[in-house]
Amino acid sequence: QFQEDFAAKTKNIYDFLLVLSGAMIFFMQSGFAMLCAGSVRLKNVQNTMLKNLLDACGAALAFYFIGYALAFGGQENSTSTTFIGTTSFASVGPSPSFWFFQYTFSATSVTIVAGTLAERCQMIAYLAYSIVLAGFIYPVIAHSAWSNNGFLSITNSDPLLNIGSLDLAGSGVVHLTGGTVALLATLILGPRRGRFYDAQGEPLVEPKAFPGHSVALQLLGTMVLWFGWFGFNSGSALLLKIDEVGEVAATAATNTALSGAAGGVSALFTNLFIVERLTGEPYFSILVAMNGALSGLVAITSGCGVVEPWAAIVIGIIAGWIYIGASNLLVRLRIDDAVDAIPVHMFNGMWGVFSTGLLASPRLMEVAYNTGDYPGLFYAAGNDSSFNLLGCQVTLIVFILGWVCVTMLPFFIWLNYKGWLRADSLEELVGLDVSYHGSDFDNKYGDVNKEYVAAF
Amino acid sequence: QFQEDFAAKTKNIYDFLLVLSGAMIFFMQSGFAMLCAGSVRLKNVQNTMLKNLLDACGAALAFYFIGYALAFGGQENSTSTTFIGTTSFASVGPSPSFWFFQYTFSATSVTIVAGTLAERCQMIAYLAYSIVLAGFIYPVIAHSAWSNNGFLSITNSDPLLNIGSLDLAGSGVVHLTGGTVALLATLILGPRRGRFYDAQGEPLVEPKAFPGHSVALQLLGTMVLWFGWFGFNSGSALLLKIDEVGEVAATAATNTALSGAAGGVSALFTNLFIVERLTGEPYFSILVAMNGALSGLVAITSGCGVVEPWAAIVIGIIAGWIYIGASNLLVRLRIDDAVDAIPVHMFNGMWGVFSTGLLASPRLMEVAYNTGDYPGLFYAAGNDSSFNLLGCQVTLIVFILGWVCVTMLPFFIWLNYKGWLRADSLEELVGLDVSYHGSDFDNKYGDVNKEYVAAF
Amino acid sequence: QFQEDFAAKTKNIYDFLLVLSGAMIFFMQSGFAMLCAGSVRLKNVQNTMLKNLLDACGAALAFYFIGYALAFGGQENSTSTTFIGTTSFASVGPSPSFWFFQYTFSATSVTIVAGTLAERCQMIAYLAYSIVLAGFIYPVIAHSAWSNNGFLSITNSDPLLNIGSLDLAGSGVVHLTGGTVALLATLILGPRRGRFYDAQGEPLVEPKAFPGHSVALQLLGTMVLWFGWFGFNSGSALLLKIDEVGEVAATAATNTALSGAAGGVSALFTNLFIVERLTGEPYFSILVAMNGALSGLVAITSGCGVVEPWAAIVIGIIAGWIYIGASNLLVRLRIDDAVDAIPVHMFNGMWGVFSTGLLASPRLMEVAYNTGDYPGLFYAAGNDSSFNLLGCQVTLIVFILGWVCVTMLPFFIWLNYKGWLRADSLEELVGLDVSYHGSDFDNKYGDVNKEYVAAF
């Protein structure tokens, strides 16, 4: 009876810790909001803020009514592999702490997209895709990768290649998903007016930068995200069916600090070096440093509890490089991403999942998953099963990319065809706050481009 | 001996969790501050920020020297019903974690008022009422509703109507109290100059909106409050004398997410619909969405751990409607509330207490309070005791309204009579930062209304 | 076996709580950043934000590769007294949670300096000292005061004067260290152009105030710091080798609330009184209130878990006075501190360490350290050993001051000699954002002083 009491007390404490971690993840919504607020021009701040608030609200309701059921419904009663869950609609399932924690992940996935589409997307389109993403697209991925019934899940009773994919806190499930949706949306939506083309539609020689209105808010957003990330990565350890949750959580926190730091430093100095080579005038770009740090954080999310600290630093350094490369690539392809969410979340989401397949350590996998037989390629090279984990990781990446493209591309094309996607051109030029939120047209901050309004 | 060790360790962990939750609640001070900062005009930012800082400081000292003693002093040694506690003055009582947690609640109650009075209240009046509220008015209410000796307390050894009132985290004790004080204060203080009347004192046909200077800070404030609210509601579960604290805390967190989300969505779209009907031009009001979400959060605070998730959504939806109705009512009555704290905290504080009387579930009351015999009217309808809980809830509302009116109305009238309440008219026009904080008169942001200064 | 399970579970929960506390301390980086952002002029915001981000990143890498080893390497295997640790380079040591927690302290120490040097320091100098401080200077102090092998440590097997110095969460180790570095740096660096001298180099009769650009961000920074401080002070209790960690943590939280509150109130009203005496026009200075609160927080950090709540209030009140005195002293000596970090962190860091020697209570020392034989002078007066603890505290202060001066003074002189310390004069006048971060020269906010540019 005393042992039962002990088990019950421990479970209750874990539930409470899950709530605290979930609250920290929820707080990341503020981080994304501040990052967006700082990155847009003043004429669009209201619009952007409302989108950030609404996706937290919309995701909660969509995840309650449908999303949770599709992702995790019935996983405790069955070991069969399924495509989606089919019970627990309009319910929080048997464990409210688990529901709350998973909700905060789904909301994060949704809010990643907000920044990319800033300054030109209609409110109605944003609402539509938010609900579809939190209610259907994301849950299918979470089901496949994280529920006991998922075909890619490491907790499946008969996992893929004997191991399944290892995405501890969701570089793939959360960040790659959100980032890929952002890419598809901006492809259909097109760039902001005046970013890559002039008023007559001719391509500009040099893309026009649209600097945000507050670096302080951008930095605040970055640091709030980093803070929340400790709940994101360490909190995920609480879901493991092991005794050493504290140790895995601490490893995750340590790696989160180191990879973010490495990403920021790597991106800042690589960019400094490149700019000096190209222009002869080196300068320190805080935007690059912030996005580099966020890239390191995204990349370590997948393997946070199963790679050694030195590997976290390596992952972070490469994440910084990937960010710079991908960011420049997007500009060259004239793909407009108002906050660089695609390089940060999509490209480094992929790198995060992939790098776990390279660097997951057998010692730490033994602690976290009670199995050290199929570690990353770096440790397994030469074994019969050296590519098992990496194979599963690549499968996860391909699955997420494929699933998101197959479902969201037609959806955005349809929205665009209906005329619900892109804001009216004049609205865009004077700022979305005027038409959607009743602000004054007479923008006193003067960030309305008169030339384009005239050309209209 | 091992069992003792186990009990001691568990208690120490709970103490630590209480500290973490209390810290999150303390952080809500930043949320209120940012909400206020964004909602006032630049010429009053310093003044508003100082008030927000000072009430956190003043509440700590007032609660230490007097408030705690009146609220909880001696409750561990006696089961008799009393009006106030009489021991532990200038002390943190036997449990520092309990003191710290309760302090953060009292500070929240005080800071609710700051926003409503912004831009026109004297510093000295603000100080006076802060100390009186944290040191005396609030503690009497906390004593009655939460201490073991309170006549309305569910933990009273012989509770009212066999059950007592159920205000788990304080829709009534904290929010209704703060909101009612705000209403009384603004009634005596009067509206800001130029809001409802022109320079000659004639009523305006259309009230003049005083838009805040930063939507980004308002949203930041809202999200910080929401984050802190998870500590507010879930942390309160730690005070229950039960084993399943984690489960109650997780239910509270889930309901906090759902009710806030429902409130935000309900208020936003209801307002959209109304505005379209009235003007033909729909628009999305982020202010309404933010206050709707906060309304849902206030309303769920009372029953967070004892209502089912579907009920949390219902409570949130209605909270959104109540907000819109009450906000419009105040404008019609020419009652000036700079941040809409009265509709959010007072009206939805009442709704929160009342709705618990309707929707508290017997299953969850059994978990949280070891008694499922007197649930909400929805479950109890038809029983002999169907109105017991609802009766207690209404009693709590009436008691808070009555106690606050009886004590604070004379107090504010007296302050006003002495000339200590309202800032000087010229001071108000040029902004309080000039006279109280030594800012330049020559306000470069130009939000000083020259017409009123001339008419002065 | 069940007992082992119990011990393991408890340890894992403590590890998790340490991670949560560490995350809160990490979040203090945002607090310092917002405080700096609000305190500088707009033309230097980017530069200041980048420094704040980089020191979090740089400290993580420096502490991983070198700092941790010097501070704590090998302490678990040896009881001898050493000057530095010599194992665990490029490693997080045996306990990742301990590493993570200690990292956040080292990063705090580094970031304290950022504000003081704002608006005139070269990026390269900032990077250099950040790495030196986190990698070498700070670790030596942390080793001496906190590791089991430190000559001043209370956990040394044969402590100084039978007790060792008591710096629970680091008024000395963290704040005095950071503050002293800030003082040395600003002495060598010199004041901002135009602050104390006119364009011709003649001393001004009245120093020119350089008001920051956002009080709202300053207040946000202050409140975020206060929030994080609960993790800082309460989290430190988790490292004590006792069962009552929760009780010590709760005492620490309570004292943190009370001392901060007392500091804010004491500084605000003392300043009000002085200003009225000098000028006849009283005014409420929010900057003084904020720095007073921070002073109270710094001062209580040393003894947070071992002084009674009334003593915390006394410590806070005096901290407020010390802040006002030290701040005025610096202005008189024409030492320029852009955010008053020296009065807050250095002077009150000393006061914190010293006051613990006066007021540490035997009852609480018994709980926290299992020894109540050498309490503060207030309790011990008259005993044979009445000055033991105070002696150790003074030794700690002298050691930190001496070590920092001996190492950092030559370092800054060398940096200055090489021309790497001070930004170019013209750069300083137009704002560091132009030259380092590629902003427009044509500063639309008009905070470039034309007179000085002309005189250049």
Side-chain angles (χ1 to χ4, degrees):
Chain A
Q1 193 267 334
F2 177 54
Q3 276 186 315
E4 272 172 35
D5 187 28
F6 170 65
K9 276 264 171 51
T10 307
K11 186 193 165 302
N12 271 283
I13 291 170
Y14 282 14
D15 275 355
F16 201 92
L17 295 176
L18 214 48
V19 166
L20 290 180
S21 304
M24 287 170 71
I25 302 169
F26 182 87
F27 191 44
M28 292 172 79
Q29 297 283 335
S30 320
F32 282 107
M34 290 304 103
L35 198 59
C36 288
S39 299
V40 302
R41 290 163 291 173
L42 260 175
K43 63 182 177 182
N44 291 312
V45 168
Q46 277 196 51
N47 186 266
T48 308
M49 291 300 91
L50 182 55
K51 284 175 183 163
N52 274 281
L53 179 61
L54 266 194
D55 60 33
C57 294
L61 298 175
F63 199 71
Y64 172 75
F65 284 109
I66 309 174
Y68 175 81
L70 298 184
F72 301 104
Q75 70 165 347
E76 53 288 330
N77 305 319
S78 145
T79 59
S80 60
T81 298
T82 54
F83 184 63
I84 48 169
T86 50
T87 62
S88 296
F89 289 94
S91 145
V92 298
S95 166
S97 62
F98 183 75
W99 184 90
F100 177 64
F101 194 68
Q102 293 297 342
Y103 149 63
T104 61
F105 280 78
S106 75
T108 304
S109 177
V110 173
T111 205
I112 287 169
V113 188
T116 298
L117 307 187
E119 309 201 297
R120 62 200 188 281
C121 177
Q122 283 194 45
M123 187 59 77
I124 190 76
Y126 192 82
L127 283 178
Y129 103 75
S130 285
I131 291 166
V132 170
L133 181 53
F136 179 55
I137 310 298
Y138 170 86
V140 168
I141 296 168
H143 182 88
S144 300
W146 284 348
S147 97
N148 300 337
N149 312 117
F151 80 101
L152 279 164
S153 175
I154 199 169
T155 59
N156 190 304
S157 56
D158 177 21
L160 188 70
L161 298 176
N162 298 319
I163 178 69
S165 70
L166 202 176
D167 193 19
L168 182 50
S171 286
V173 175
V174 176
H175 295 277
L176 176 53
T177 301
T180 308
V181 173
L183 175 65
L184 297 178
T186 191
L187 278 176
I188 308 295
L189 188 60
R192 286 167 290 176
R193 213 154 271 269
R195 174 110 168 85
F196 295 121
Y197 302 92
D198 68 12
Q200 281 71 43
E202 297 298 313
L204 298 167
V205 178
E206 190 73 25
K208 186 163 169 9
F210 286 0
H213 83 285
S214 171
V215 171
L217 291 184
Q218 289 177 310
L219 185 92
L220 177 63
T222 304
M223 297 304 281
V224 167
L225 284 172
W226 203 333
F227 168 66
W229 231 295
F230 292 115
F232 205 91
N233 288 356
S234 299
S236 294
L238 293 167
L239 299 179
L240 300 172
K241 304 275 177 299
I242 54 167
D243 281 341
E244 298 85 351
V245 290
E247 199 179 327
V248 177
T251 301
T254 298
N255 286 341
T256 303
L258 289 172
S259 182
V265 169
S266 137
L268 179 72
F269 287 99
T270 306
N271 186 62
L272 185 78
F273 178 79
I274 292 173
V275 171
E276 194 189 19
R277 278 296 169 103
L278 292 179
T279 69
E281 287 185 15
Y283 77 98
F284 293 90
S285 167
I286 179 162
L287 259 181
V288 167
M290 291 191 295
N291 279 323
L294 293 175
S295 295
L297 294 171
V298 168
I300 200 61
T301 299
S302 171
C304 54
V306 296
V307 303
E308 300 285 351
W310 64 263
I313 294 176
V314 171
I315 290 171
I317 290 172
I318 296 175
W321 295 338
I322 290 174
Y323 164 70
I324 289 181
S327 177
N328 287 323
L329 181 69
L330 288 185
V331 172
R332 245 171 233 222
L333 296 174
R334 301 187 199 277
I335 296 171
D336 188 18
D337 182 348
V339 299
D340 261 358
I342 298 167
V344 170
H345 297 280
M346 181 184 169
F347 283 82
N348 277 303
M350 280 194 269
W351 165 237
V353 175
F354 190 80
S355 63
T356 302
L358 296 177
L359 291 164
S361 123
R363 181 182 75 85
L364 290 164
M365 284 185 72
E366 182 71 48
V367 174
Y369 293 102
N370 294 320
T371 168
D373 295 343
Y374 302 93
L377 183 62
F378 176 83
Y379 298 94
N383 293 2
D384 280 356
S385 57
S386 44
F387 283 91
N388 281 31
L389 182 60
L390 193 60
C392 290
Q393 300 300 93
V394 171
T395 309
L396 177 64
I397 294 172
V398 171
F399 172 69
I400 293 174
L401 289 175
W403 169 249
V404 172
C405 288
V406 163
T407 52
M408 292 306 272
L409 200 55
F411 178 72
F412 282 121
I413 290 174
W414 174 75
L415 276 178
N416 196 35
Y417 173 76
K418 285 285 191 181
W420 293 337
L421 190 57
R422 178 101 191 193
D424 184 82
S425 297
L426 183 60
E427 280 173 4
E428 186 185 340
L429 290 173
V430 300
L432 300 182
D433 288 3
V434 175
S435 48
Y436 288 102
H437 311 291
S439 285
D440 290 333
F441 167 79
D442 204 16
N443 187 306
K444 64 181 155 200
Y445 299 98
D447 53 1
V448 174
N449 191 327
K450 298 279 155 55
E451 184 198 347
Y452 284 87
V453 175
F456 192 73
Chain B
Q1 193 266 333
F2 177 54
Q3 275 186 316
E4 272 171 36
D5 188 27
F6 171 66
K9 275 264 171 50
T10 307
K11 185 192 166 303
N12 271 282
I13 291 169
Y14 282 14
D15 275 354
F16 201 93
L17 295 176
L18 215 48
V19 167
L20 289 181
S21 303
M24 286 170 71
I25 301 169
F26 181 88
F27 191 44
M28 292 172 79
Q29 297 283 334
S30 319
F32 282 107
M34 290 304 103
L35 198 58
C36 288
S39 300
V40 302
R41 291 163 292 173
L42 260 175
K43 63 182 177 182
N44 291 311
V45 168
Q46 278 196 51
N47 187 266
T48 308
M49 291 299 92
L50 182 56
K51 285 175 183 162
N52 275 280
L53 178 61
L54 267 194
D55 61 34
C57 294
L61 299 175
F63 199 70
Y64 172 74
F65 284 109
I66 308 173
Y68 175 82
L70 299 183
F72 301 104
Q75 70 165 347
E76 54 287 328
N77 305 318
S78 145
T79 58
S80 62
T81 298
T82 56
F83 183 63
I84 48 169
T86 50
T87 61
S88 296
F89 289 94
S91 145
V92 299
S95 166
S97 62
F98 182 76
W99 184 91
F100 177 64
F101 194 68
Q102 293 296 342
Y103 149 63
T104 60
F105 280 77
S106 76
T108 304
S109 176
V110 173
T111 206
I112 287 169
V113 187
T116 298
L117 308 187
E119 308 200 298
R120 61 200 188 282
C121 177
Q122 282 193 46
M123 187 59 76
I124 190 76
Y126 191 82
L127 283 178
Y129 104 74
S130 286
I131 292 168
V132 169
L133 181 52
F136 180 55
I137 310 300
Y138 170 86
V140 167
I141 295 167
H143 182 88
S144 301
W146 284 348
S147 99
N148 300 337
N149 312 117
F151 80 101
L152 279 164
S153 176
I154 199 168
T155 60
N156 190 306
S157 56
D158 177 21
L160 187 71
L161 297 176
N162 298 320
I163 178 69
S165 70
L166 201 176
D167 194 19
L168 183 50
S171 287
V173 175
V174 176
H175 294 279
L176 176 53
T177 301
T180 308
V181 174
L183 175 65
L184 297 178
T186 192
L187 279 175
I188 309 295
L189 188 61
R192 285 167 291 176
R193 213 153 271 269
R195 173 106 168 88
F196 295 120
Y197 302 93
D198 68 12
Q200 282 71 42
E202 298 297 314
L204 298 169
V205 178
E206 190 74 23
K208 185 164 169 11
F210 285 0
H213 82 286
S214 171
V215 171
L217 291 184
Q218 288 176 311
L219 185 92
L220 177 63
T222 304
M223 297 304 280
V224 167
L225 284 172
W226 203 334
F227 168 65
W229 231 295
F230 291 115
F232 206 90
N233 288 356
S234 299
S236 294
L238 292 167
L239 299 180
L240 300 172
K241 303 275 177 299
I242 54 167
D243 281 341
E244 297 86 350
V245 291
E247 199 179 326
V248 176
T251 301
T254 297
N255 286 341
T256 303
L258 289 172
S259 181
V265 170
S266 136
L268 179 72
F269 286 99
T270 306
N271 186 62
L272 186 78
F273 178 79
I274 292 173
V275 171
E276 194 189 19
R277 278 296 168 103
L278 292 180
T279 69
E281 287 184 17
Y283 78 98
F284 293 90
S285 167
I286 178 161
L287 259 181
V288 167
M290 291 192 293
N291 279 324
L294 293 175
S295 294
L297 293 170
V298 168
I300 200 61
T301 298
S302 171
C304 53
V306 296
V307 303
E308 301 285 350
W310 64 262
I313 294 176
V314 171
I315 290 172
I317 289 172
I318 295 175
W321 294 338
I322 289 175
Y323 164 69
I324 288 181
S327 178
N328 286 324
L329 181 69
L330 287 186
V331 171
R332 245 169 232 224
L333 296 175
R334 300 186 200 276
I335 295 170
D336 189 19
D337 182 347
V339 299
D340 260 356
I342 298 167
V344 170
H345 297 281
M346 181 184 167
F347 282 82
N348 277 302
M350 279 194 271
W351 165 236
V353 175
F354 191 80
S355 63
T356 303
L358 295 177
L359 292 164
S361 124
R363 180 181 75 84
L364 290 165
M365 284 184 72
E366 182 71 49
V367 174
Y369 292 102
N370 296 320
T371 167
D373 295 342
Y374 302 93
L377 183 62
F378 176 83
Y379 298 94
N383 292 3
D384 280 355
S385 58
S386 44
F387 283 90
N388 280 32
L389 182 61
L390 192 60
C392 290
Q393 300 300 93
V394 171
T395 309
L396 177 64
I397 293 173
V398 171
F399 172 68
I400 293 174
L401 289 174
W403 169 248
V404 172
C405 288
V406 163
T407 51
M408 292 306 271
L409 200 55
F411 178 73
F412 282 120
I413 290 174
W414 175 75
L415 276 178
N416 197 35
Y417 173 76
K418 284 284 190 180
W420 293 337
L421 189 57
R422 177 104 190 189
D424 184 82
S425 298
L426 185 58
E427 279 172 5
E428 186 184 340
L429 291 174
V430 300
L432 300 182
D433 287 3
V434 176
S435 49
Y436 287 102
H437 311 291
S439 285
D440 290 334
F441 168 80
D442 204 14
N443 187 308
K444 64 182 155 199
Y445 299 99
D447 53 1
V448 174
N449 191 327
K450 299 279 155 58
E451 185 198 347
Y452 286 86
V453 176
F456 191 73
Chain C
Q1 193 267 334
F2 177 54
Q3 275 186 317
E4 273 171 35
D5 187 28
F6 170 66
K9 276 264 171 51
T10 306
K11 186 192 165 304
N12 270 283
I13 291 169
Y14 282 14
D15 275 356
F16 201 92
L17 295 176
L18 214 48
V19 166
L20 290 180
S21 304
M24 286 170 71
I25 301 170
F26 182 88
F27 191 45
M28 293 172 79
Q29 297 283 333
S30 320
F32 282 107
M34 290 303 103
L35 197 59
C36 288
S39 300
V40 302
R41 291 162 292 172
L42 261 175
K43 62 183 177 181
N44 291 311
V45 168
Q46 278 196 50
N47 187 267
T48 308
M49 291 298 92
L50 181 56
K51 285 176 182 162
N52 274 281
L53 178 62
L54 267 193
D55 61 34
C57 295
L61 299 175
F63 198 71
Y64 172 75
F65 284 110
I66 309 174
Y68 175 81
L70 298 184
F72 301 104
Q75 69 164 348
E76 54 287 331
N77 305 318
S78 147
T79 58
S80 60
T81 298
T82 55
F83 183 63
I84 47 169
T86 50
T87 62
S88 296
F89 290 93
S91 145
V92 299
S95 166
S97 62
F98 182 74
W99 184 91
F100 176 63
F101 194 68
Q102 293 296 342
Y103 150 62
T104 60
F105 280 77
S106 75
T108 304
S109 177
V110 173
T111 205
I112 286 170
V113 188
T116 298
L117 308 187
E119 308 200 297
R120 62 200 188 283
C121 177
Q122 282 193 46
M123 186 60 77
I124 189 77
Y126 191 82
L127 283 178
Y129 103 75
S130 285
I131 291 167
V132 169
L133 181 52
F136 179 55
I137 311 299
Y138 170 85
V140 168
I141 295 168
H143 182 88
S144 301
W146 284 348
S147 98
N148 300 337
N149 311 117
F151 79 101
L152 280 164
S153 174
I154 199 169
T155 59
N156 191 305
S157 56
D158 177 22
L160 188 69
L161 298 177
N162 297 321
I163 177 70
S165 69
L166 202 175
D167 193 19
L168 182 51
S171 287
V173 175
V174 176
H175 295 278
L176 176 54
T177 301
T180 307
V181 173
L183 175 65
L184 297 177
T186 191
L187 278 176
I188 308 296
L189 188 62
R192 286 167 291 177
R193 213 154 271 268
R195 173 105 168 89
F196 295 121
Y197 302 92
D198 68 12
Q200 282 71 42
E202 297 298 313
L204 299 168
V205 179
E206 191 74 23
K208 186 167 171 4
F210 286 0
H213 82 286
S214 171
V215 171
L217 291 184
Q218 288 177 310
L219 185 92
L220 176 64
T222 304
M223 297 304 281
V224 167
L225 284 172
W226 204 333
F227 168 65
W229 231 294
F230 291 115
F232 206 91
N233 288 356
S234 298
S236 294
L238 292 167
L239 298 180
L240 299 173
K241 303 274 177 301
I242 54 167
D243 282 340
E244 299 85 351
V245 292
E247 199 179 325
V248 177
T251 301
T254 297
N255 286 341
T256 303
L258 288 172
S259 182
V265 170
S266 135
L268 179 72
F269 286 99
T270 306
N271 186 62
L272 186 77
F273 178 79
I274 292 173
V275 171
E276 195 188 19
R277 278 296 168 104
L278 292 180
T279 68
E281 288 184 16
Y283 77 98
F284 293 89
S285 167
I286 179 162
L287 258 180
V288 167
M290 292 192 293
N291 279 323
L294 293 175
S295 294
L297 294 170
V298 168
I300 200 60
T301 299
S302 172
C304 52
V306 294
V307 303
E308 300 285 351
W310 64 262
I313 294 175
V314 171
I315 290 172
I317 290 172
I318 296 175
W321 295 338
I322 290 174
Y323 164 70
I324 288 181
S327 179
N328 286 324
L329 181 69
L330 288 186
V331 172
R332 246 170 231 222
L333 297 173
R334 300 188 200 275
I335 296 171
D336 188 19
D337 183 347
V339 299
D340 260 355
I342 298 167
V344 170
H345 297 281
M346 181 185 168
F347 283 82
N348 277 302
M350 279 194 271
W351 165 237
V353 175
F354 190 79
S355 63
T356 303
L358 297 177
L359 291 164
S361 123
R363 180 181 76 84
L364 290 164
M365 283 185 74
E366 183 71 49
V367 174
Y369 293 102
N370 295 320
T371 168
D373 294 342
Y374 303 94
L377 184 61
F378 176 82
Y379 298 95
N383 292 2
D384 280 355
S385 58
S386 43
F387 284 90
N388 280 31
L389 182 61
L390 193 60
C392 290
Q393 300 300 93
V394 171
T395 309
L396 178 64
I397 294 172
V398 171
F399 172 68
I400 293 174
L401 289 175
W403 169 249
V404 172
C405 288
V406 163
T407 52
M408 292 305 272
L409 200 56
F411 179 72
F412 282 120
I413 290 173
W414 175 75
L415 276 178
N416 196 35
Y417 173 76
K418 285 284 191 182
W420 293 336
L421 190 58
R422 177 103 190 191
D424 184 83
S425 299
L426 184 58
E427 280 173 5
E428 186 185 339
L429 291 174
V430 299
L432 300 182
D433 288 3
V434 175
S435 48
Y436 287 102
H437 310 291
S439 287
D440 290 334
F441 168 79
D442 204 14
N443 187 306
K444 63 182 157 201
Y445 300 98
D447 53 0
V448 174
N449 190 327
K450 299 280 156 56
E451 184 198 347
Y452 284 86
V453 175
F456 192 71

